[in-house]
Amino acid sequence: TNGDIIDLSGTSNFGFSSGSNAQSDTGNQKYSVPSVLFDGTGDVINIEAKNDPFLFPKDFTIECWAYVVSGSFSLQNSKYRTFFYIGVSSQFQFAIDESGNPLLWDNGSALVTSSTALTGNSWQHIAVTRTGDQLVVFLDGVEKGRATHTTEMGGSGSLARIGSYDGSSGALNGAISDLRITKNVSRYPF
């Protein structure tokens, strides 16, 4: 059975691209919370910012529980498999590389990459934070990568996507639960 996909922030409009069959899935869930299932073939949730563009000039946290199907880390149409993407005035991407390592990508380069890959067919918590000039990627609460970055990231007036780079490339094959994007707050380490 399927549950609902809910935006608790109240700051975005979201919807599905035509041809997308991303859906809430109560069969594969973490902590009894339904996940959003992506089949790796173009499923995407589009998000349009209302009054608060997807800019990250200061501290932030992007995190989720991720379940990636084993063997589906490879690039799709030359793009990383994507959890969250902003792509009008920049190319800001929270994704996994072809080895399954979580990373944060902005304007043509990886800013910080986990030294440890995700385990296929297993729920894992991934997060990337910025505190001051430090970008840190965490896997299951453990720091796995760190880099210095001081400039604003994201895109003004951008359309954001969950589960795909652009609807036909970088599509995630797996599930996401509890995706949370927090501006101006670095939630980790505790």
Side-chain angles (χ1 to χ4, degrees):
T1 62
N2 291 326
D4 292 326
I5 299 171
I6 301 169
D7 173 13
L8 295 177
S9 72
T11 61
S12 299
N13 293 320
F14 72 95
F16 299 95
S17 291
S18 62
S20 175
N21 64 350
Q23 58 187 303
S24 179
D25 181 18
T26 58
N28 185 6
Q29 51 185 289
K30 182 71 178 171
Y31 299 123
S32 301
V33 175
S35 62
V36 179
L37 180 64
F38 299 90
D39 66 12
T41 59
D43 296 342
V44 63
I45 299 173
N46 292 315
I47 306 170
E48 184 178 337
K50 286 183 180 177
N51 300 315
D52 194 16
F54 294 106
L55 288 172
F56 299 96
K58 300 178 183 174
D59 296 355
F60 67 86
T61 303
I62 303 173
E63 64 182 312
C64 68
W65 284 96
Y67 181 100
V68 180
V69 174
S70 287
S72 61
F73 297 141
S74 63
L75 299 180
Q76 183 190 39
N77 297 328
S78 302
K79 303 297 181 193
Y80 293 128
R81 301 293 177 147
T82 304
F83 300 111
F84 178 71
Y85 175 81
I86 305 168
V88 174
S89 61
S90 70
Q91 296 179 352
F92 182 82
Q93 186 180 19
F94 181 42
I96 52 174
D97 68 15
E98 57 271 74
S99 298
N101 300 309
L103 60 82
L104 184 67
W105 179 273
D106 192 35
N107 287 320
S109 64
L111 302 178
V112 63
T113 304
S114 171
S115 61
T116 303
L118 294 176
T119 301
N121 298 336
S122 175
W123 281 106
Q124 292 180 276
H125 185 263
I126 54 176
V128 63
T129 66
R130 180 164 76 182
T131 304
D133 67 353
Q134 295 297 297
L135 285 172
V136 182
V137 62
F138 295 91
L139 183 57
D140 290 330
V142 178
E143 181 179 321
K144 296 295 183 176
R146 178 180 289 264
T148 300
H149 189 76
T150 58
T151 61
E152 182 175 82
M153 292 177 275
S156 177
S158 295
L159 174 71
R161 297 179 186 93
I162 299 171
S164 179
Y165 177 85
D166 63 7
S168 62
S169 302
L172 183 67
N173 188 7
I176 297 173
S177 185
D178 296 327
L179 173 67
R180 180 165 65 166
I181 301 157
T182 309
K183 293 171 69 172
N184 302 318
V185 175
S186 177
R187 297 189 178 277
Y188 305 99
F190 302 111

